[in-house]
Amino acid sequence: MRQDQEDPYQRRSAPVYAAADRAGSAGSSRTTVGSPRPVLYDAVLLDRDGTLIEDVPYNGDPEKVRPVPGARAALDRLRAAGLRLAVVTNQSGLARGYFTGEQMRAVHARVEELLGRFDAWLVCPHDDADGCGCRKPAPGLVYAAAGELGTTASRCVLVGDIGRDVGAALAAGAAGVLVPTPVTRPEEIAAAGWVATDLPAAVDEILRRQQAVRPATPTGDPVRTALVVRSDSAGDVLVTGPAIRAVAAGAQRVVLLCGPRGRAAADLLPGVDEIIEHPLPWIDPTPGPVDPEAVRSLTARLSAIGADQAVVFTSFHQSALPLALLLRMAGVGRIAAISDDYPGSLLDVRHRVPVGVPEPERALSLAAAAGHRLPDGDEPVLRLRRDAVPPRPADLGDPGYVVLHPGSAASSRACPPEVATRIAGALTAAGHRVLVTGSSDERDVTARVAAAGGTDLGGRTDLAGLAGIVADASAVVVGNTGPAHLAAASGVPVVSLFAPTVPFGQWGPYRVPTVRLGDAAAPCRDTRAASCPVPGHPCLSGIDPDEVVDALRMLAVSGGGGR
Ligand SMILES: [Zn+2]
């Protein structure tokens, strides 16, 4: 039985701007009547100085407006694709009296003369000292732009030239593209999950990603039973959720093959009718020997499903081909997978994806290549089955606490215990109620961290129970590990203590307000190491607890239990 059609935890936006962010659904985009709503984006938000036009500090003179190369044509491509456009710009020169509002409006009129009309202009007139909620990297302008354009922040992508732009996008749950200029700092480039060489290249990639999740051809024969496959750990399974829902929308029955480490997450996914759990020795990070009898029994089981289509999801460093061979032997007629390696006759749909695409979109693009898309009204966000998530235990008190989850199955992505301990103390001192969570083998750490401020829940929950606790949090402070994706699935903002062993753009919390902390340029970058290869774990050990307190403020999470 499929019990998945709605989810109470979905897409809560940050409180301060909730009204602006709630607007918009079908009909808000400018696409032709009758064409389906785009899956990913309704709007592109653009920084002004250094992104659309050359940066002339505190410019009040229309004569000095110079578009960046290729800007007009690039913007026209976005307009032609039905995307709405807004400018989101910090203009502290207003606060400082360097130019007047009238001069600024003359500059904007000149920008529109040269670059065409924008659907909205959002300007922060404040200075850093004003402590407003709109000066980037605060997310206020992004929420306001989304509201004016009749959509939500998570359906926007923001293009800018400095870290403040990307930070504002992430803090609102929007996508952020960094187009560096000579003034962009190297650490801002390292921290950005999505970097493009210039504005036309950013636009090309936005349009490519938008197109990639749209099925190229109609599904063809209706699919009675689809087999979807996602081996590996809980986080991997959770980020594949949107793609599995897309397949479910086009199939009468969905069977999910997962591994033992992903089983608890599989139980939480909407759209799945039946689960088969079986380790795959070519995927598992600590595989046992290949047992011919186990392979024969898996093949027989796959055959018994009677699937008329199989969609095999993998990470970029995993191969779908061994399983494709078993599926062929099991008689599955249509097999789709991502494969850079030559698949011979193992695949009917051989899909390829550039590096850097968020894992949920990477999987959605494979589902699209196999003929499936999310139906209108099902946003491409992570979601959980409401009936699979138990309510949080009553003894935890009211919602609105901060969950601090220091551990990770891969120690390279865990927060160093001494850092987590200081974070717990700083959060408590700032008035936050802290719940420290972890698995049963992390109880030593959670006890130590909670002793500095907070309630120790180490070993008290399974994954579903943790999901219930996370769903009522005002924010989660966590590394790159499963609970970050549980938070995303419940629309709960994330302070991401992100070790750069894998790309943030692929594995960062998806479509949920996020602040990224940690050294993105640390030597462990892109090593995929399971345990930290660098003495002292420098990517995360340098995090100042006050940065976490500031990040929560940026996410509009206040101390004292408010949200
Ligand atoms: Zn402001």
Side-chain angles (χ1 to χ4, degrees):
M1 260 232 52
R2 195 180 288 165
Q3 299 169 300
D4 56 12
Q5 295 313 317
E6 57 175 67
D7 180 354
Y9 306 133
Q10 193 180 350
R11 278 183 300 122
R12 279 191 306 231
S13 51
V16 175
Y17 302 100
D21 202 39
R22 199 179 296 126
S25 60
S28 65
S29 78
R30 221 197 249 157
T31 45
T32 323
V33 175
S35 71
R37 189 183 189 212
V39 174
L40 297 181
Y41 308 123
D42 293 328
V44 180
L45 317 183
L46 299 123
D47 170 54
R48 195 191 85 177
D49 301 322
T51 301
L52 287 175
I53 58 175
E54 283 169 19
D55 188 11
V56 179
Y58 307 117
N59 181 27
D61 179 0
E63 294 301 312
K64 292 185 182 157
V65 171
R66 301 271 178 280
V68 302
R72 177 68 199 243
L75 295 172
D76 283 344
R77 288 207 299 284
L78 294 173
R79 294 181 178 112
L83 286 154
R84 297 186 158 223
L85 304 183
V87 181
V88 287
T89 179
N90 286 352
Q91 294 298 336
S92 63
L94 285 171
R96 298 173 195 182
Y98 294 158
F99 51 82
T100 64
E102 194 177 340
Q103 286 173 310
M104 186 187 71
R105 282 187 290 278
V107 166
H108 291 178
R110 179 64 179 151
V111 170
E112 291 204 324
E113 235 173 74
L114 293 166
L115 295 179
R117 259 188 60 76
F118 292 88
D119 299 292
W121 284 83
L122 288 302
V123 177
C124 166
H126 307 111
D127 205 336
D128 274 332
D130 294 328
C132 69
C134 48
R135 182 165 166 81
K136 296 175 286 184
L141 291 184
V142 179
Y143 286 121
E148 283 214 17
L149 299 177
T151 186
T152 56
S154 67
R155 298 187 57 81
C156 295
V157 49
L158 188 158
V159 185
D161 66 324
I162 57 173
R164 280 178 181 266
D165 298 309
V166 175
L170 294 189
V177 192
L178 184 72
V179 178
T181 68
V183 308
T184 312
R185 298 203 309 268
E187 60 269 30
E188 295 176 330
I189 300 172
W194 181 352
V195 179
T197 52
D198 55 22
L199 180 59
V203 164
D204 288 344
E205 180 62 8
I206 290 166
L207 294 173
R208 192 201 65 74
R209 290 189 187 187
Q210 182 94 308
Q211 193 62 36
V213 296
R214 179 179 299 174
T217 52
T219 313
D221 293 338
V223 178
R224 290 185 311 278
T225 296
L227 173 69
V228 293
V229 182
R230 189 61 170 102
S231 214
D232 223 339
S233 66
D236 301 285
V237 171
L238 291 173
V239 297
T240 311
I244 291 173
R245 301 200 310 270
V247 174
Q252 289 170 18
R253 172 174 169 250
V254 171
V255 180
L256 169 63
L257 170 64
C258 69
R261 299 186 315 130
R263 174 57 193 259
D267 286 328
L268 303 179
L269 287 189
V272 176
D273 299 288
E274 188 183 329
I275 296 171
I276 295 178
E277 179 187 324
H278 202 287
L280 302 181
W282 55 93
I283 300 282
D284 208 88
T286 51
V290 173
D291 172 4
E293 191 45 50
V295 174
R296 271 190 289 273
S297 118
L298 174 60
T299 309
R301 217 165 155 196
L302 294 173
S303 176
I305 295 167
D308 33 16
Q309 183 182 48
V311 186
V312 183
F313 297 102
T314 48
S315 292
F316 70 101
H317 56 285
Q318 298 169 341
S319 175
L321 297 183
L323 187 73
L325 177 60
L326 300 195
L327 290 168
R328 279 284 185 249
M329 293 171 71
V332 176
R334 286 192 271 162
I335 305 173
I338 296 172
S339 186
D340 284 328
D341 291 330
Y342 173 65
S345 56
L346 294 182
L347 300 179
D348 302 284
V349 176
R350 177 201 190 181
H351 184 57
R352 302 178 89 162
V353 183
V355 293
V357 176
E359 288 290 313
E361 285 175 31
R362 191 173 181 276
L364 274 171
S365 76
L366 173 59
H372 304 288
R373 62 166 278 153
L374 283 170
D376 283 356
D378 188 358
E379 286 295 301
V381 293
L382 310 193
R383 282 174 51 202
L384 307 176
R385 284 171 52 154
R386 65 186 301 182
D387 62 311
V389 177
R392 85 197 132 76
D395 65 340
L396 297 184
D398 293 333
Y401 41 78
V402 172
V403 168
L404 172 59
H405 190 93
S408 167
S411 65
S412 60
R413 298 188 260 118
C415 182
E418 58 280 8
V419 176
T421 301
R422 286 190 286 127
I423 290 172
L427 292 178
T428 304
H432 294 284
R433 260 188 313 137
V434 179
L435 304 184
V436 184
T437 56
S439 63
S440 51
D441 49 11
E442 293 165 350
R443 271 183 295 194
D444 287 351
V445 172
T446 59
R448 183 176 151 195
V449 172
T455 305
D456 179 14
L457 299 180
R460 234 184 93 173
T461 63
D462 58 9
L463 192 74
L466 182 57
I469 290 170
V470 162
D472 280 337
S474 54
V476 176
V477 181
V478 63
N480 174 25
T481 187
H485 304 301
L486 290 181
S490 296
V492 172
V494 179
V495 178
S496 177
L497 316 176
F498 196 94
T501 53
V502 294
F504 182 77
Q506 286 177 233
W507 290 101
Y510 187 62
R511 285 194 173 221
V512 69
T514 299
V515 173
R516 177 187 187 171
L517 298 179
D519 179 2
C524 62
R525 186 178 171 95
D526 294 337
T527 59
R528 301 209 314 264
S531 58
C532 183
V534 189
H537 201 6
C539 65
L540 299 182
S541 59
I543 291 173
D544 182 337
D546 287 340
E547 291 181 89
V548 179
V549 175
D550 291 344
L552 289 174
R553 198 173 300 124
M554 187 72 79
L555 295 167
V557 177
S558 58
R563 179 199 259 275

